[in-house]
Amino acid sequence: MPSGGAAGSALAPYLASEPQQWVERHGDALFSFAMLRVRDHDVAEELVQDAFLAAIQARKEFRGQASERTWLIGILKHKIIDRLRRSFREESISSADTDDPDLDELYKQNGHWQTRPGNWTPDPSQLMEQQEFWDVFRRCLASLPERVAAVFSLRVVDDTESDEVCKELGISSTNLWVLLHRARARLRRCLELKWFGKAQEEKD
Amino acid sequence: MLSCKEASRLLSESLDHKLPFGKRLSLRFHLMMCSACRAYRRQVKAVQDLSALFFRSRDSGQSPTASLSPDARMRLQNLINEHSD
């Protein structure tokens, strides 16, 4: 017997559908959302599972303040954050997270650039159409270490303020900034090497 | 005097919070003098924008996204059926 359960729609009048319909209506959307952030099929499925179960428990509290999809995604976001927080609790941030020899070697001994950053000024509206670019981008994103990518997507994509990220994850500001710097710098380096750098060569 | 390496790190940090006055000044001064770091700043900002674009277009379902395998679908459906009325 499900706990707290009773006749479904009488107690959850604001929801558009019954839980039994959620996998069909929202399964892929939630799975995609999770996959972009955790990149592992099994982990993503587990997170979607946790989110659906939590939603079943919480559905009587839903007051129609957002669409059903948005509400479910919100619950999923929390599950993703929970998992990341557990990860940092079980394995504190170490030099494995913060050190980056690939980035260090971009600079000379005295801290100056080895090679001057290029002059790419991508026009997002033009790039939108170029599937090849987004394939490169996806590969660059996938090459980020797991925790670096997770923190980056929380801060930059889900647009969570710095101190809130620190609070949610239980990490210091300094550590957060180092992780974000790694994410941005690695993405930039990857895109310069794999896309924009080549474009520059072709122009010359 | 900041090195480019230090400036790169501060630039990233400045995207996450308002730098303390001294660091802000040092960074501004370095950028004034260093066109390489000015180029880097443009690139990092572009990376932010492109990242947001990438995720949002996929989150909103406009581009190819991941799908649950038939097995995964079944597992989820069974679980929900067990926990529903």
Side-chain angles (χ1 to χ4, degrees):
Chain A
M1 276 297 278
S3 61
S9 25
L11 289 169
Y14 296 96
L15 282 170
S17 63
E18 293 294 315
Q20 289 92 333
Q21 297 168 285
W22 288 350
V23 175
E24 183 165 329
R25 285 180 162 228
H26 305 296
D28 283 347
L30 262 63
F31 184 68
S32 298
F33 188 93
M35 276 297 287
L36 265 183
R37 288 154 178 80
V38 303
R39 294 144 6 153
D40 179 289
H41 281 82
D42 295 333
V43 173
E45 185 189 329
E46 194 182 314
L47 286 165
V48 173
Q49 183 180 296
D50 291 345
F52 278 148
L53 290 178
I56 288 174
Q57 296 299 315
R59 76 190 191 278
K60 290 186 280 306
E61 277 100 62
F62 181 63
R63 287 289 170 269
Q65 62 274 25
S67 74
E68 185 175 87
R69 168 77 58 89
T70 305
W71 175 67
L72 286 168
I73 294 271
I75 293 174
L76 178 61
K77 269 193 205 174
H78 277 114
K79 293 299 173 189
I80 293 172
I81 289 172
D82 286 347
R83 188 173 181 275
L84 194 54
R85 179 174 48 240
R86 260 196 318 272
S87 167
F88 284 123
R89 194 168 51 220
E90 283 162 19
E91 208 185 307
S92 343
I93 295 191
S94 68
S95 54
D97 293 296
T98 57
D99 288 359
D100 202 319
D102 292 338
L103 292 179
D104 291 340
E105 74 183 23
L106 293 174
Y107 306 95
K108 298 177 180 154
Q109 211 45 338
N110 63 4
H112 287 306
W113 288 99
Q114 290 273 14
T115 314
R116 213 206 116 94
N119 256 331
W120 37 274
T121 37
D123 180 356
S125 56
Q126 285 188 323
L127 285 172
M128 272 311 284
E129 342 255 307
Q130 295 186 260
Q131 189 53 46
E132 302 86 10
F133 171 77
W134 294 109
D135 290 340
V136 169
F137 189 90
R138 190 188 313 113
R139 284 202 293 278
C140 285
L141 201 57
S143 72
L144 292 179
E146 191 189 326
R147 305 215 289 194
V148 167
V151 170
F152 178 70
S153 56
L154 186 57
R155 165 79 186 110
V156 174
V157 179
D158 297 332
D159 215 7
T160 319
E161 291 300 314
S162 252
D163 26 338
E164 200 183 323
V165 177
C166 289
K167 211 163 40 162
E168 300 262 26
L169 300 181
I171 63 178
S172 71
S173 314
T174 314
N175 279 332
L176 174 66
W177 297 328
V178 171
L179 291 176
L180 291 173
H181 169 64
R182 269 195 88 188
R184 294 176 178 125
R186 289 193 74 93
L187 281 171
R188 182 215 75 93
R189 174 178 167 273
C190 184
L191 287 174
E192 176 143 276
L193 286 171
K194 304 232 157 94
W195 183 267
F196 295 106
K198 288 189 177 153
Q200 282 302 115
E201 280 164 28
E202 280 154 26
K203 281 179 197 160
D204 291 340
Chain B
M1 271 295 299
L2 289 180
S3 68
C4 297
K5 186 173 179 181
E6 287 161 342
S8 302
R9 194 173 270 222
L10 276 181
L11 255 168
S12 179
E13 196 185 313
S14 74
L15 296 175
D16 298 312
H17 79 128
K18 189 167 183 180
L19 292 175
F21 182 71
K23 287 186 176 178
R24 201 157 75 235
L25 216 58
S26 298
L27 179 59
R28 194 171 294 174
F29 187 67
H30 181 91
L31 287 172
M32 253 168 50
M33 315 274 274
C34 183
S35 62
C37 284
R38 286 200 297 274
Y40 180 77
R41 175 175 56 178
R42 283 194 295 274
Q43 291 176 345
V44 166
K45 286 187 170 170
V47 164
Q48 291 260 105
D49 293 343
L50 290 168
S51 301
L53 208 57
F54 177 81
F55 275 76
R56 273 161 209 162
S57 74
R58 274 148 186 78
D59 282 345
S60 64
Q62 284 163 8
S63 314
T65 50
S67 316
L68 288 161
S69 69
D71 282 349
R73 281 184 167 265
M74 200 169 64
R75 282 192 288 270
L76 281 168
Q77 190 64 56
N78 288 341
L79 193 70
I80 289 185
N81 292 343
E82 271 174 54
H83 283 78
S84 305
D85 310 309

